[in-house]
Amino acid sequence: MTDQEIQETEIDVLEFSQRGAEVPHAKVYRVRIDGEPFRFEDSSPTGEMVLARVGKRPCAFELIEEFTHRENCVVEPDEKVDLRKHGLKGFITAHKEIVTIFLNGEPYQIERGERSIADILGKAGQTAQGYILLEEKDGPPLPLPDNRPVEIDGCEVFHSQARSGASS
Amino acid sequence: MERPQDQIEDLKRYCAKLTALTEGGVTFFHLEGLRLPAGCTPQTCDALLCPVEREGYPSRLYFSVQVTSPYTRNWNVSNARIGEKNWFAFSWKVALSAPTLIEILIGHLEGFAKEK
């Protein structure tokens, strides 16, 4: 039997790391993400795929590999992780401080927390005087009041539109 | 004025039910359960969109109630009787050349989100 051949049907990655043993090829790898077990059939998913298993996205969350005998390591969204890597205990996720939002389809980096309409429009070089900001959240894009801050958690989808209305 | 079907489909995204209502030679779009911008009370209400000139405005958006919004508005129409229902509207002018239905709707909803 060669190393590439499947030796186990389903293995628990944490058990192997605790024993200090090499992880064999298997049909299914059981991996913990934030302490909860998930089953993977692919031994080299991308960081984004791992995050997706816990309903999270790289625009708001970071994925971190945890090892038994070495420091944790951040995994980039498009980076492939090796679930058979020696000492891998599993993954944890962390809410990013600098998150990604989408404005008119373009991604922009912004600090998490309360941000003004002007802060958000400014990412696209637009001003609150000339534009309205609309947020697409659980429905169609709706204007956001410009006298209230917007809570940014990451992954928000915004649109801007030149102002067209005025009180008369 | 006939409106392209894709514009009408876009309007449907903003409400629970969309129907057309013709009265006095004007076709209104009746938006039941229209979603309103954040900070408005109620969060949804029925509305009537008049996409053509009326009462000196290029277009009008009537609401089934006087909406409380982040900015106080000048509600200059109260209990206007259209389609056997009472409607309310605030003074807000949407100035666009050849706007789509969505542009008109968003332009009026902008009134809840901008001071002037």
Side-chain angles (χ1 to χ4, degrees):
Chain A
M1 182 181 280
T2 68
D3 187 45
Q4 293 298 312
E5 288 176 23
I6 291 170
Q7 296 168 12
E8 302 277 347
T9 304
E10 181 168 334
I11 59 158
D12 188 326
V13 166
L14 179 61
E15 281 178 20
F16 280 81
S17 72
Q18 285 171 335
R19 295 204 314 254
E22 293 295 326
V23 178
H25 286 283
K27 280 186 178 171
V28 174
Y29 302 87
R30 199 160 59 244
V31 179
R32 281 164 183 75
I33 309 170
D34 290 336
E36 295 294 318
F38 291 88
R39 298 169 83 246
F40 285 84
E41 292 185 1
D42 180 3
S43 67
S44 54
T46 63
E48 187 168 10
M49 289 161 71
V50 176
L51 273 177
R53 294 299 296 272
V54 284
K56 294 176 178 176
R57 296 168 62 197
C59 38
F61 287 89
E62 205 157 58
L63 183 70
I64 301 159
E65 287 177 309
E66 275 194 311
F67 295 95
T68 45
H69 297 299
R70 63 182 172 103
E71 286 190 1
N72 293 352
C73 185
V74 173
V75 180
E76 296 300 324
D78 55 356
E79 181 184 340
K80 285 199 166 190
V81 292
D82 181 3
L83 299 183
R84 297 181 56 238
K85 200 182 287 181
H86 186 73
L88 179 68
K89 285 166 60 182
F91 300 92
I92 53 172
T93 64
H95 208 159
K96 291 177 176 175
E97 286 305 315
I98 305 295
V99 297
T100 302
I101 58 170
F102 301 91
L103 175 55
N104 298 329
E106 294 294 323
Y108 294 97
Q109 306 290 301
I110 193 166
E111 205 175 331
R112 190 157 58 92
E114 287 191 345
R115 295 286 156 265
S116 69
I117 298 283
D119 286 341
I120 298 166
L121 285 170
K123 293 287 174 185
Q126 297 171 339
T127 65
Q129 287 73 40
Y131 290 84
I132 56 168
L133 186 69
L134 303 98
E135 184 174 13
E136 196 171 338
K137 187 180 181 183
D138 307 323
L142 285 170
L144 288 169
D146 63 3
N147 60 351
R148 294 179 178 201
V150 182
E151 184 66 34
I152 299 291
D153 285 322
C155 309
E156 287 82 4
V157 176
F158 298 104
H159 304 271
S160 66
Q161 187 170 300
R163 288 203 62 183
S164 60
S167 58
S168 57
Chain B
M1 180 179 156
E2 285 286 310
R3 291 284 178 170
Q5 190 59 34
D6 59 339
Q7 288 190 24
I8 293 167
E9 291 300 317
D10 283 344
L11 268 191
K12 287 181 182 173
R13 293 182 64 205
Y14 283 80
C15 58
K17 186 181 177 186
L18 178 72
T19 51
L21 166 70
T22 301
E23 189 170 288
V26 176
T27 300
F28 299 85
F29 292 95
H30 187 200
L31 300 106
E32 290 181 47
L34 171 67
R35 294 172 65 114
L36 299 176
C40 289
T41 305
Q43 293 178 326
T44 63
C45 73
D46 292 350
L48 205 56
L49 179 66
C50 173
V52 295
E53 190 174 348
R54 188 175 173 87
E55 298 161 352
Y57 296 86
S59 58
R60 275 301 231 175
L61 184 62
Y62 298 91
F63 300 87
S64 56
V65 293
Q66 275 197 19
V67 176
T68 303
S69 64
Y71 289 110
T72 304
R73 299 273 65 116
N74 171 23
W75 292 84
N76 61 355
V77 170
S78 288
N79 297 313
R81 196 80 183 153
I82 306 169
E84 298 179 2
K85 285 182 182 174
N86 291 338
W87 299 97
F88 302 82
F90 60 86
S91 181
W92 193 258
K93 189 174 183 177
V94 176
L96 287 168
S97 62
T100 63
L101 291 173
I102 283 296
E103 286 171 336
I104 297 170
L105 178 67
I106 295 293
H108 282 284
L109 294 179
E110 185 186 321
F112 292 130
K114 288 280 185 187
E115 187 173 15
K116 52 188 176 182

